[in-house]
Amino acid sequence: MESALAGNPIRKGLPEYGIRDCHIYVEKGRYYMVGTEIAPPGENKEGVSLYESKDMKKWKKTALLVDRESIPADSWYKDGFDSPEIHKINGRYVLCFGGRNNDVNPYGTTETVVAISDKIQGPYKIVTDKPVVKGNRFTLWQDDKDGKVYAYWEKDGSLCGALMDTALTHLAGDPVVIAIPRQFRKDDRFLDSPSVLKYKGKIYLFYTVFKGGYYAANLVSESPLGPWKASDEILFYRSEDQAPTQLHGEYDNPLVFAPPCEIIGNVQLFKGLNDKWYISYHSEDKYAEPFFCVDRVYPDENGFKCAITLP
């Protein structure tokens, strides 16, 4: 299997203090990316920025999709701007992200905001007058069979899903719990960061798990809301023992919840401009800044195999 297309982690043109929860959208000879940006010490985040690249090696900020300064001070999404994603649904660009008001709820769970635009660079109009869900890592997926749109998110370490309404402003069906810790693998601790795609008629839900480190895995289903079956193999695993010594320290029990460790997060599989498959994720380097990483993926009849190149 080929190695990564670029040395990981990738920093050129991305925020100085790091970016996590990266999400890629591919269109018209370009890679576009949004993510949770780490603001300089003592400063607020600007909002949600759009980055653009031709090769995923060099990036450039090309737009500010959501500007914090334009949001009223008493808004429930004044801050946060966590885990943004862009999806093209029914010919329009749909931006979703997690927001909160730090004056009211500084450390609480984020709540989902949805904005829509006719152009990927914006301007985007917020279409949700109240949160879609209270939960983290919200993602959308449209079924090509019937055009219905589904939402997936993390809440309290479990993964949830539901049908969205046609306007994409709220859930159209009752949420279902897709997976809980230890349901599919006995050592699961905390399920996070769902992303969904369809490949050869099967629906794959990818996620990350804490387990004395972090690993990426996936579930498979014939239906958008299940039932789901776990794939036999995980995508990849980064243990605490593999973390830099400056971070992981010494722990008596390797399965104890004791970060920081070699963190991986927000895995996303997508097809690149060269028709090859890739996996994007963020990982923290020896100084603990989260940065964008990308590696090759190889689909086969049993699912997907990754060629991860981080040391």
Side-chain angles (χ1 to χ4, degrees):
M1 295 191 292
E2 296 179 26
S3 60
L5 80 130
N8 285 323
I10 298 168
R11 296 179 171 88
K12 192 170 184 64
L14 296 176
E16 178 183 0
Y17 290 91
I19 187 169
R20 59 187 300 145
D21 312 321
C22 306
H23 187 267
I24 303 291
Y25 178 77
V26 185
E27 183 179 69
K28 297 179 181 177
R30 294 287 190 277
Y31 295 98
Y32 297 93
M33 180 169 67
V34 290
T36 305
E37 299 185 38
I38 309 303
E43 298 183 17
N44 292 312
K45 298 177 185 178
E46 284 188 287
V48 179
S49 300
L50 180 70
Y51 294 87
E52 184 177 331
S53 175
K54 294 181 180 180
D55 57 9
M56 289 191 284
K57 299 178 183 180
K58 299 177 182 179
W59 293 86
K60 182 180 180 180
K61 181 177 174 178
T62 57
L64 184 61
L65 306 183
V66 177
D67 185 352
R68 183 181 187 274
E69 294 301 317
S70 68
I71 301 173
D74 60 353
S75 171
W76 53 271
Y77 58 89
K78 177 68 176 177
D79 307 288
F81 311 111
D82 288 348
S83 302
E85 296 189 3
I86 291 179
H87 303 271
K88 196 169 187 180
I89 298 174
N90 299 331
R92 307 184 76 187
Y93 298 93
V94 180
L95 170 69
C96 50
F97 63 94
R100 63 170 168 258
N101 190 314
N102 285 341
D103 289 335
V104 178
N105 187 26
Y107 302 107
T109 301
T110 58
E111 299 175 310
T112 301
V113 186
V114 174
I116 295 178
S117 175
D118 291 323
K119 298 180 180 179
I120 193 166
Q121 292 89 356
Y124 283 81
K125 179 182 179 182
I126 303 293
V127 296
T128 43
D129 57 6
K130 61 181 180 180
V132 181
V133 298
K134 185 174 184 177
N136 298 307
R137 314 295 190 265
F138 182 92
T139 188
L140 295 171
W141 176 76
Q142 185 173 30
D143 194 344
D144 59 2
K145 184 182 295 184
D146 56 15
K148 292 182 178 180
V149 179
Y150 295 84
Y152 305 86
W153 66 96
E154 177 273 323
K155 183 173 176 60
D156 300 327
S158 297
L159 301 181
C160 303
L163 177 68
M164 287 289 290
D165 76 308
T166 55
L168 304 180
T169 58
H170 61 274
L171 302 182
D174 294 331
V176 299
V177 177
I178 290 172
I180 62 174
R182 299 181 177 86
Q183 178 179 352
F184 292 101
R185 293 180 175 88
K186 65 179 181 180
D187 291 327
D188 286 356
R189 290 296 187 271
F190 190 98
L191 313 185
D192 200 7
S193 306
S195 64
V196 179
L197 64 82
K198 181 182 282 188
Y199 182 74
K200 292 190 174 181
K202 294 183 179 180
I203 300 169
Y204 290 82
L205 188 153
F206 300 92
Y207 61 101
T208 56
V209 182
F210 177 80
K211 184 202 127 176
Y214 286 79
Y215 71 80
N218 68 270
L219 306 176
V220 184
S221 178
E222 303 289 339
S223 174
L225 296 177
W228 299 87
K229 178 182 178 182
S231 294
D232 293 334
E233 297 182 10
I234 62 173
L235 295 175
F236 64 95
Y237 174 50
R238 308 300 295 177
S239 70
E240 287 186 345
D241 291 339
Q242 293 172 298
T245 56
Q246 296 97 322
L247 283 181
H248 70 68
E250 299 294 333
Y251 304 115
D252 293 333
N253 183 346
L255 297 183
V256 156
F257 189 91
C261 63
E262 186 74 11
I263 294 174
I264 58 172
N266 250 65
V267 298
Q268 178 198 3
L269 277 71
F270 61 95
K271 187 178 287 188
L273 295 171
N274 54 10
D275 222 31
K276 296 179 180 179
W277 282 87
Y278 294 95
I279 181 171
S280 69
Y281 55 100
H282 71 252
S283 182
E284 295 188 359
D285 72 2
K286 64 181 179 180
Y287 298 114
E289 301 99 339
F291 281 99
F292 171 68
C293 298
V294 61
D295 275 306
R296 286 294 312 280
V297 169
Y298 298 87
D300 61 26
E301 65 276 6
N302 298 315
F304 298 85
K305 297 184 183 299
C306 300
I308 300 302
T309 60
L310 281 177

